Amino acid sequence: MDRRIRAPGIPAFLVISSLIVSACSQQATPGPAATAVATAAPAQSAAPTPNLRGAGGELKLLFWQGPVIMNPHLSQGSKDQEAARLVVEPMASMGPSGTPVAKLAAEVPTRANGGISADGTTVTWKLKSGVKWSDGTEFTADDVVFTYEYMADKAVAATTASGTRNIKSVVARDKLTVVVTFTAPTAVPYQWGVAETSAILQKAQFSAFKGANAKDAPGNQKPIGTGPYKVKDFKPNDIITYEINENYREAGKPFFKTVQIKTVADALTAARAVCQTGDADYGWSLNLAKDQLKPFLDSGRCNNIVTQGTSAESINFNFANNRLTGDQRAEPNTSHPFLSDLKVRTALAKAIDRQTIADQIWGGLTGSASCNLINTPRELISPNTATMDVCKYDLAAANRLLDEAGWVKGPDGIRAKGGVKMEIVYQTTVAAFRQQVQDVVKKAWESLGVKVELKAIPAGVFFSTDLNSPDTASKFFADVQEYANGYGDPDPEVFLSAWASENIKGRESGWRGTNYWRWKSAEYDALYFSLVKELDPAKRRDLIMKMNDLIVGQVVSIPIASFLRPVSGAAKELKGPIANPFEGDLWNIADWTK
Amino acid sequence: MGRYVLRRLIISIPTLLGISVVIFAILAFAPGDPLSQFANNPEVPFEVREQVRRSLGLDQPVQLRYVSWVTSLLRGDLGYSFASKLPVSELILQRLPATLAVLGSAYLIGLLIALPVGILSAVKRYSFFDHFATTATFIGFSVPSFFTGLILIVIFSVHLRWFPFIYDSTIETQDLESLWRQIRQTIMPVAVLTFFYAATMARYVRAEILENLPQDYVRTARAKGLRERILLQRHVLRNSLIPVVTLLALGLPHIFTGAVITEQIFAVPGIGHLLILSIVNADTPVVMGVTFIFAVLVVAFNLLADVCYAALDPRIRYS
């Protein structure tokens, strides 16, 4: 007499339900990493004298996204590249002001020193002599060339592969000279070779793994590098311990004997450990709400390491008709029933009180109101948007504009014209602050007589390339979508290409275009093509500002706020961290002291 | 009995296959992308992300991917993580010690508390102790672990500074000092879980004993003049603990999967933590590996529970 009911379905149910329960309990995934530009940063400490190598005991860093791999070219996110940055180095770092700082290079090639050819097609890198890998072997131009080939190899499937675009060849002229030849004159000569995405791997360690077997390389966990530290122990998503690379080229550095990167659940835990209990020295990327972050900073135990970032939170309109069904839904050749009207877009933009939203949510601690898409470097910020009508909050004017455009309120209070009701589906990713912005904007638009339906989609789904999901940013099956968009290089050419009509892609091409909003403008395209060809920095600046102004003026995207970066917390005693919008927080860790 | 076990083992094969199909399908059809963290980074364009998807085999149809997963499983290979490129088995082994240390000790301590508390509050029903224990178990059962965890952190880490709230898995126990550090960092997560386990089990023990106390055989034994202690030990306890043993056996596989929330709060690098991160990052091989091992354990411990049941209760015969 079996008193218990047994059915094969029960274990299955247990497993699946536990899977579902765990999925529901997950922490909110972070929005896409903001990238950024530099201004204020704590003063850099005086360089330690030579006898200080290893004088400083243990440095404890907390990350709330766990690094999983130490090969920056197979990384799954910027956190992996940051963790690898202690070990592997690029030829030059991108400095906080947007100019490169030589690392493995003897000097940064420029037009002035002849490193960049007059026609702008070749860049010649001279390397430092006498640099050694952590295993004691010599670092040469062969390693640099190998790294290029590794990144460009399709079978390797490097996530940093786009750095190798438009490059014809990278060759070693001699042991310490590398010549990069572009397919055409380039305005972005530092696209490859500069910053952590171009970190140099050791040829001897990786040459057997340049291909489909890239995943099997032991160097993925313990790369041999030229940086200040080497990996002692690596547990993905948990803890990484580093020890000094005794062959590091700079005498007297690094100061700390060992470094530890520990993964914790969220930014709040990291902030608590750095700013409250003093259990750690540095908390990475504390993307907290103003009200959460402020008490920690007020406690006086830690500094907020920030600078102006490249990332701006903006609301984007859909120019295609997402109301159609089947294969025609939001196809580029369709036109949105009301968002294609500039007056309507202007009215919706004018109803948004970006100042109040930004003050309430970020309060200048992590971000501030901005009506520009390009917010850094300083010389690229457009002064023109400040006086633009579309950037001014004015509900009455917004109502007038909609009246003028012929959209009248029906008995249900919703504006309509020719049988079309003004109903908006407004989507964004799941993040507390984004839902706050959604609520405020929804109230404002509803006061204009626009019906708004809100949708919040997990970031992992929203930004996926999965063609089966209807909720991706690239499909944009909604009227309005909001998220933060930024750029990694100080030159925003790639970022600005997302408004060029050549990047509009529909169903047929699997939505593989970056112009999600399907905006077509001959004027913008002309500016973009001039930018791609223009080599003169002053003229480029002018074009970039014009493009920014056109996007804002034509209300394709409504910038709400620009973010500061990296917003990391450092214990008061820690000296050396310099916020850098173009590199990870740890770009200058060799200079950190206590 | 032997034939019964064999039959159950054979039945478990299609069960496990069924489970793996369901989980694989859920993962395959759930939207998500291993590279979503790079999603709107203009430096990682579509072509690059597609190249990566192709290198992970994600461009293959679901059925082919499933077949290749099962074939490697039959060879004992759980595959490689999409994210860290490490073998799934290595990732699981890396996290097993912390998981077993924290959950195992919580389970054991929970049981050691639950048994006396449950028995005493059943025997002294409606006494002050019973009221106190019932309230405490009710709280332990209902208050979520993230709440008890945070309260412990605020009291013992932030204010008293007694225990660290970030688990350090690099501590190697070599001497008394490192052993003490190990214990110190384990106290809070274990306390949170013990509270929950003890509460759940104590309620069960109490209920089972209360169910047995009014039975005829108890009255008969009392009428015979058996002393209360002997009566409890020999008759009531033996009968009431049979279902408790089942409960315990069925709960054991959960030690393997870890405690997702508690592990997150205290940064314990356990298997629950691994599972949740892998789900978030669409790291299919790791999710499949962990859930499949869990499924095997659940099926195995179900069988074990049934076998124990027969051994403990002579009235039950399987054939």
Side-chain angles (χ1 to χ4, degrees), chain B residues 26-244:
Chain B
I26 291 179
L27 289 173
F29 295 114
D33 189 334
L35 282 187
S36 58
Q37 283 179 23
F38 273 140
N40 70 340
N41 182 340
E43 307 297 327
V44 187
F46 276 98
E47 303 78 63
V48 169
R49 294 165 67 192
E50 290 221 311
Q51 191 62 45
V52 173
R53 281 182 77 91
R54 215 168 299 143
S55 80
L56 298 176
L58 286 173
D59 54 335
Q60 307 269 335
V62 185
Q63 40 311 1
L64 282 188
R65 277 161 53 204
Y66 178 72
V67 169
S68 77
W69 183 81
V70 171
T71 359
S72 10
L73 181 75
L74 291 178
R75 286 197 311 265
D77 179 5
L78 287 171
Y80 290 81
S81 157
F82 286 166
S84 67
K85 322 283 177 203
L86 284 171
V88 173
S89 48
E90 188 179 329
L91 289 173
I92 293 176
L93 284 179
Q94 232 170 30
R95 284 162 176 269
L96 205 55
T99 313
L100 293 184
V102 172
L103 276 105
S105 43
Y107 205 70
L108 194 69
I109 300 174
L111 179 65
L112 291 180
I113 296 175
L115 278 180
V117 170
I119 294 169
L120 212 61
S121 60
V123 174
K124 312 251 181 224
R125 199 181 181 186
Y126 302 136
S127 66
F128 172 75
F129 178 82
D130 182 35
H131 284 303
F132 174 78
T134 314
T135 316
T137 51
F138 188 70
I139 292 172
F141 189 67
S142 1
V143 176
S145 56
F146 67 82
F147 187 75
T148 29
L150 285 180
I151 292 213
L152 289 189
I153 288 179
V154 168
I155 296 176
F156 294 105
S157 293
V158 176
H159 287 291
L160 297 173
R161 306 270 162 104
W162 285 1
F163 309 121
F165 62 96
I166 295 170
Y167 192 95
D168 181 356
S169 62
T170 58
I171 296 177
E172 280 171 33
T173 315
Q174 290 153 331
D175 46 26
L176 280 178
E177 196 258 327
S178 54
L179 179 69
W180 173 231
R181 279 178 67 202
Q182 183 68 45
I183 292 174
R184 261 185 51 176
Q185 69 174 356
T186 323
I187 287 178
M188 287 201 296
V190 168
V192 168
L193 293 169
T194 303
F195 191 35
F196 176 75
Y197 286 143
T200 322
M201 290 189 278
R203 281 164 65 90
Y204 208 77
V205 171
R206 179 178 180 271
E208 282 302 325
I209 293 179
L210 285 181
E211 197 181 306
N212 273 288
L213 280 178
Q215 301 261 342
D216 289 344
Y217 75 86
V218 178
R219 198 183 311 131
T220 314
R222 277 210 184 99
K224 266 193 339 186
L226 210 59
R227 270 187 301 149
E228 201 66 10
R229 247 182 73 116
I230 310 247
L231 169 75
L232 259 180
Q233 270 175 7
R234 287 213 191 128
H235 301 279
V236 178
L237 266 187
R238 254 197 101 161
N239 280 309
S240 353
L241 288 188
I242 294 171
V244 175

Side-chain angles (χ1 to χ4, degrees), chain A residues 4 6 22 29 32 68-69 76 79 154 162 221 235-238 262 265 276 463-465 483-484 486 512, chain B residues 22 33-34 37-40 42-43 49-51 84-85 95 161 167 169 264 267 269 276-277 280 302 306:
Chain A
R4 294 163 55 231
R6 287 266 144 255
S22 25
T29 42
V68 293
I69 192 160
Q76 306 285 306
K79 35 107 188 174
K154 286 247 188 303
S162 79
Q221 283 75 45
K235 292 180 186 162
N237 258 325
D238 173 23
K262 168 78 187 174
Q276 210 168 24
F463 290 117
S464 83
T465 46
Y483 58 88
R512 286 181 194 83
Chain B
V22 172
D33 189 334
Q37 283 179 23
F38 273 140
N40 70 340
E43 307 297 327
R49 294 165 67 192
E50 290 221 311
Q51 191 62 45
S84 67
K85 322 283 177 203
R95 284 162 176 269
R161 306 270 162 104
Y167 192 95
S169 62
Q264 286 265 28
I276 193 73
L277 283 170
V280 171
N302 265 287
D306 284 345

